[in-house]
Amino acid sequence: MRLILASASPRRLDLLARIGVTPDAIVPAEIDETPRRGELPIPYARRMAAAKAAAVVEPGALVLAADTVVAVGRRTLPKAETEAEARAALGLLSGRRHRVHSAVTLIDGAGTARHRLSTSIVAFKHLSDDELAAYLAAGEWRGKAGGYAIQGRAEALVRMISGSHSGVVGLPLFETRALLRAAGYSLG
């Protein structure tokens, strides 16, 4: 069965390889990712994953899409595009807990959509000015939800994680594997 990954993320591709899955095609979804007014983090993540999958649906193929958001309370932190945005996000996360919601959608060959959600709790240590400056200078915050990449230098700044490490990276493998198996996809 043909599998399409609706993402250009190299991290998601690497994560799929960990469970023996190699997509037949990678087709990034081109959608508007603007949150709706008053939209909470979990509904936003679910809506984005479903919209990404629907944008690249192909009859007879499986389409896998995901979206990961970093949330502080009812607030969704955006993907940091500037150093100022990353600094503000990391300043907010410093010394406190936050949630990372990773929604996964799989549309099967008949057009049936299945959805899963992984929620993890992450706590950063209190970041000193020097730690924050060093992390920002490394540049791995670019385009990352909440301004950090747990699979990189930020992992040394995380005091605690409860939940799915792969979900915080961007694709919860337990949930993804369950969706693929339910759709009859042969896992390697």
Side-chain angles (χ1 to χ4, degrees):
M1 190 176 305
R2 183 170 155 79
L3 175 64
I4 300 169
L5 176 61
S7 174
S9 167
R11 292 166 307 284
R12 290 193 177 115
L13 195 57
D14 290 343
L15 287 167
L16 282 173
R18 291 184 190 178
I19 58 171
V21 173
T22 303
D24 297 293
I26 298 169
V27 183
E30 299 294 330
I31 63 167
D32 179 6
E33 296 190 38
T34 306
R36 294 177 178 153
R37 183 182 165 108
E39 189 171 32
L40 296 175
I42 290 174
Y44 172 71
R46 286 181 169 150
R47 181 173 66 84
M48 287 296 96
K52 288 175 183 179
V56 300
V57 73
E58 179 180 300
L62 293 175
V63 177
L64 179 68
D67 194 70
T68 299
V69 301
V70 172
V72 176
R74 299 167 53 93
R75 179 178 173 190
T76 299
L77 297 185
K79 292 179 182 173
E81 300 301 332
T82 67
E83 186 174 314
E85 289 174 341
R87 180 180 300 280
L90 291 167
L92 186 61
L93 299 176
S94 177
R96 65 187 295 190
R97 293 179 184 205
H98 63 278
R99 296 185 188 276
V100 178
H101 306 290
S102 284
V104 183
T105 294
L106 181 73
I107 299 178
D108 67 21
T112 302
R114 293 177 174 89
H115 313 277
R116 289 286 181 105
L117 178 75
S118 167
T119 295
S120 302
I121 299 171
V122 179
F124 269 83
K125 69 180 288 307
H126 177 76
L127 303 176
S128 69
D129 291 341
D130 288 344
E131 288 169 324
L132 181 57
Y135 187 76
L136 293 170
E140 72 179 17
W141 51 265
R142 284 178 176 53
K144 302 296 188 299
Y148 74 93
I150 197 168
Q151 71 277 15
R153 294 173 185 246
E155 191 164 9
L157 306 175
V158 171
R159 184 174 52 79
M160 182 276 301
I161 179 172
S162 176
S164 170
H165 186 273
S166 62
V168 177
V169 174
L171 185 69
L173 293 179
F174 179 83
E175 290 77 4
T176 300
R177 184 175 184 274
L179 285 172
L180 289 168
R181 289 190 69 195
Y185 185 81
S186 178
L187 294 161

